[in-house]
Amino acid sequence: ITVGRFPEGIAYDPSNGYLYVTNLGSGTVSVINPSNNSVIATISVGAALRGIAYDPSNGYIYVSDPYSNSVLVINPSNNTVIATISVGKYPHGIAYDPSNGYLYVADGGYDCVSVINPSTNSVIATISVGVDPCDIIYDPSNGYIYVTNFGSDCVSVINPSTNTVIARITVGKSPEGIAYDSSNGYIYVADNGSGTVSVIDPLNNSVIGTITVGIFPVSIAYDPANGCLYVTNFGSGTISIISTQ
């Protein structure tokens, strides 16, 4: 499927069954119909786009724009931008927390995480984390937020009930992508500078394993249908498949 230049993030909208892809080099969002794997719309949004998340509470898509230091809100019913939220410098990953209904945005340039209340589309808190936070996920098993810090080789663990960092986990060099495996409850981190994936047990927030993958792993995703993790290796032009069963 051909989309825009330098596609970066992807999110699924269960309300319409479409996929939304941020294109870093085009400043657009491509809308894909997976029933026929075709692009049915292209939304012109900003200068450059990275992270993306779907909010099931209001049905909107949230997209980070690092050039304007903002998060843009898209209404998928008409594919238009309905709001712009100012956040920290160079926002990247976005995660939705179903326990409180808030969105958490990794602000790479400010070494912090912005907390957005989607009912008002405003930032209600800012949490200091490590250096150059990159990707971010919600762990449904313990209700915590996990943030990869590219510049400090660690993962920050946030308790969203207090919006404070409760743990700092040392992983491989330059961690970037992060994913939760619902089959075993572990968290997997793509260590860009080490060519590895760190395995975190959230029960004690410690690394219990390290898996060698390709060169410069960037993104990681879990497929519940087959129980495998897929890791994109930017430096070697490959995808590593990890069986967690």
Side-chain angles (χ1 to χ4, degrees), residues 53-63 69-76 80-87 94 96 100-105 114-125:
Y54 171 77
D55 183 345
S57 68
N58 57 20
Y60 294 153
I61 304 288
Y62 289 75
V63 180
N69 301 328
S70 63
V71 169
L72 309 173
V73 187
I74 296 173
N75 184 346
T80 58
V81 175
I82 60 171
T84 300
I85 308 166
S86 295
V87 292
I94 308 175
Y96 173 76
N100 59 19
Y102 296 154
L103 291 153
Y104 290 74
V105 182
S114 295
V115 185
I116 295 174
N117 183 346
S119 65
T120 59
N121 283 329
S122 61
V123 174
I124 59 170

Side-chain angles (χ1 to χ4, degrees), residues 150-199:
F150 189 85
S152 51
D153 304 337
C154 70
V155 172
S156 296
V157 185
I158 296 172
N159 183 345
S161 65
T162 58
N163 283 330
T164 57
V165 175
I166 60 170
R168 175 185 168 118
I169 309 166
T170 300
V171 291
K173 189 174 180 180
S174 306
E176 195 160 349
I178 187 168
Y180 172 75
D181 182 341
S182 57
S183 68
N184 58 22
Y186 295 154
I187 291 170
Y188 294 78
V189 178
D191 304 316
N192 184 277
S194 304
T196 58
V197 168
S198 295
V199 186

Side-chain angles (χ1 to χ4, degrees), residues 2-214:
T2 301
V3 290
R5 295 179 63 242
F6 308 134
E8 179 89 6
I10 187 168
Y12 173 71
D13 182 345
S15 68
N16 58 21
Y18 297 155
L19 293 161
Y20 291 75
V21 179
T22 55
N23 301 303
L24 178 64
S26 305
T28 59
V29 174
S30 298
V31 185
I32 297 172
N33 184 346
S35 66
N36 56 15
N37 288 327
S38 64
V39 174
I40 59 171
T42 300
I43 310 168
S44 294
V45 181
L49 305 175
R50 300 206 73 165
I52 185 169
Y54 171 77
D55 183 345
S57 68
N58 57 20
Y60 294 153
I61 304 288
Y62 289 75
V63 180
S64 64
D65 183 350
Y67 281 11
S68 65
N69 301 328
S70 63
V71 169
L72 309 173
V73 187
I74 296 173
N75 184 346
S77 66
N78 55 15
N79 288 329
T80 58
V81 175
I82 60 171
T84 300
I85 308 166
S86 295
V87 292
K89 187 177 180 181
Y90 205 71
H92 193 161
I94 308 175
Y96 173 76
D97 182 345
S99 68
N100 59 19
Y102 296 154
L103 291 153
Y104 290 74
V105 182
D107 300 321
Y110 274 174
D111 301 338
C112 68
V113 169
S114 295
V115 185
I116 295 174
N117 183 346
S119 65
T120 59
N121 283 329
S122 61
V123 174
I124 59 170
T126 302
I127 309 164
S128 295
V129 289
V131 178
D132 192 7
C134 190
D135 204 2
I136 186 167
I137 61 162
Y138 170 78
D139 182 343
S141 68
N142 58 18
Y144 295 153
I145 303 289
Y146 289 76
V147 186
T148 57
N149 300 299
F150 189 85
S152 51
D153 304 337
C154 70
V155 172
S156 296
V157 185
I158 296 172
N159 183 345
S161 65
T162 58
N163 283 330
T164 57
V165 175
I166 60 170
R168 175 185 168 118
I169 309 166
T170 300
V171 291
K173 189 174 180 180
S174 306
E176 195 160 349
I178 187 168
Y180 172 75
D181 182 341
S182 57
S183 68
N184 58 22
Y186 295 154
I187 291 170
Y188 294 78
V189 178
D191 304 316
N192 184 277
S194 304
T196 58
V197 168
S198 295
V199 186
I200 295 174
D201 185 348
L203 289 177
N204 53 19
N205 286 324
S206 64
V207 174
I208 60 170
T210 303
I211 305 165
T212 299
V213 289

